[in-house]
Amino acid sequence: MTATVTAPGRALPVAITSPVAVWFEDGWTITKRNVTKIKRSPDMLVFAVLQPIMFVLLFSQVYGGAIDVEGTDYTQFLMAGIFAQTVVFGATFSGSAMAQDLKEGLIDRFRTLPMSASAVLIGRTNSDLVLNGISMVIMMLTGLAVGWRVNSSPPEFLAGIALLLLFSYAFSWVMALLGMSVKTPEVINNASFMILFPLTFISNAFVPSDTLPLVLRVFAEWNPVSSLVQAARELFGNVGSAPVPDIWTMQHPVVTVLIGIALMLVVFVPWAVNKYTRISAK
């Protein structure tokens, strides 16, 4: 939208942009900056891709023969767990990048620009989404190479991918807040692994939850990552005839994951933006 301002001797067009449009443009600009940074740092992309490949090969080829899953082949059972683990681990890039930007003083430079306070966080989490999307493609190709197959309809398959990526996006806001809360970038790795390892390994990602001791089984059945894994298995058609725990979160995994995504966005997006605003105001 433009308006015309009359100056002596001429009329000057003046652009009038809505705050929403400015917000989208700021977020898109920072997103492009972070995606370009990934392109210029191929080592980041290589290691982000190599890790899921390593897990696929390690569990399917090394441990697969020793793990028996009732009602389905272990490779079919495994891949949804690998997908979930990778997108959750991929969300940590937001935390480490925010911690690094704070250390290098980049936030101070952003503060001098006429931009939305949330644009930096939006661009950071969006670039994580791009990186996780690339990892998903590589993982699926690796899974196909070791025998994994999709046994559902194309819409269900696409819904499974969308659910995994949407969960990773919401979790990126959690990690971005954590990255702004630690003192140094070196701390973020230890802090994030203390969260990620229990969530991913005390779950149904790699073994059925009913094989775990009672306390761990209860944790696994109510673990949001377990719901994400179960939802992905159902949407990719990899459940087979394996028994599903008679727990609401396991019986309705897609709904559970959507509720978890909504809660993370509602709680952590404003919390992270408020944290960033306070930091940049110092």
Side-chain angles (χ1 to χ4, degrees):
M1 177 179 177
T2 60
T4 302
V5 177
T6 302
R10 57 178 178 169
L12 301 175
V14 179
I16 300 177
T17 307
S18 70
V20 175
V22 172
W23 180 74
F24 272 108
E25 184 176 355
D26 289 346
W28 175 241
T29 300
I30 301 299
T31 299
K32 288 193 295 183
R33 174 252 180 191
N34 289 328
V35 172
T36 302
K37 187 177 179 180
I38 293 173
K39 290 168 58 179
R40 292 175 178 173
S41 302
D43 53 333
M44 179 190 301
L45 186 60
V46 167
F47 284 109
V49 168
L50 284 179
Q51 179 178 296
I53 293 176
M54 179 186 69
F55 273 107
V56 170
L57 297 178
L58 178 65
F59 279 90
S60 66
Q61 305 303 307
V62 178
Y63 298 137
I67 301 175
D68 184 35
V69 179
E70 180 183 352
T72 187
D73 174 70
Y74 183 67
T75 300
Q76 311 306 313
F77 176 87
L78 169 70
M79 288 308 300
I82 297 290
F83 295 150
Q85 183 200 48
T86 300
V87 297
V88 170
F89 274 52
T92 61
F93 285 109
S94 285
S96 58
M98 291 305 299
Q100 190 66 37
D101 287 349
L102 283 170
K103 179 182 179 181
E104 295 176 350
L106 187 62
I107 301 302
D108 294 331
R109 280 176 275 172
F110 282 143
R111 182 175 55 186
T112 64
L113 300 175
M115 61 189 296
S116 168
S118 61
V120 174
L121 293 169
I122 292 169
R124 184 65 263 163
T125 52
N126 284 349
S127 62
D128 272 5
L129 190 61
V130 172
L131 194 58
N132 270 324
I134 295 172
S135 295
M136 283 285 295
V137 172
I138 300 300
M139 277 189 299
M140 289 185 172
L141 293 175
T142 307
L144 291 172
V146 298
W148 172 69
R149 296 294 181 268
V150 177
N151 301 306
S152 60
S153 65
E156 289 175 316
F157 170 68
L158 294 176
I161 295 175
L163 195 67
L164 286 161
L165 293 179
L166 191 56
F167 186 92
S168 76
Y169 179 76
F171 198 70
S172 289
W173 285 90
V174 180
M175 301 311 297
L177 177 64
L178 181 62
M180 291 185 290
S181 301
V182 299
K183 298 297 183 182
T184 63
E186 291 76 19
V187 176
I188 187 66
N189 288 330
N190 292 333
S192 59
F193 280 123
M194 288 179 66
I195 298 172
L196 299 180
F197 267 79
L199 284 177
T200 54
F201 284 97
I202 308 178
S203 71
N204 62 353
F206 304 110
V207 295
S209 58
D210 59 8
T211 63
L212 301 174
L214 178 60
V215 175
L216 297 182
R217 184 171 74 245
V218 172
F219 178 88
E221 290 171 346
W222 291 93
N223 181 348
V225 172
S226 291
S227 298
L228 180 63
V229 172
Q230 186 64 27
R233 286 187 181 125
E234 290 186 1
L235 291 170
F236 294 151
N238 298 145
V239 177
S241 59
V244 179
D246 190 20
I247 303 293
W248 195 91
T249 55
M250 295 292 99
Q251 294 292 327
H252 306 87
V254 175
V255 176
T256 302
V257 173
L258 291 175
I259 292 173
I261 290 170
L263 286 174
M264 281 192 286
L265 292 175
V266 168
V267 173
F268 288 98
V269 170
W271 192 354
V273 171
N274 181 61
K275 178 76 172 179
Y276 176 82
T277 303
R278 286 190 283 110
I279 290 173
S280 60
K282 293 180 179 179

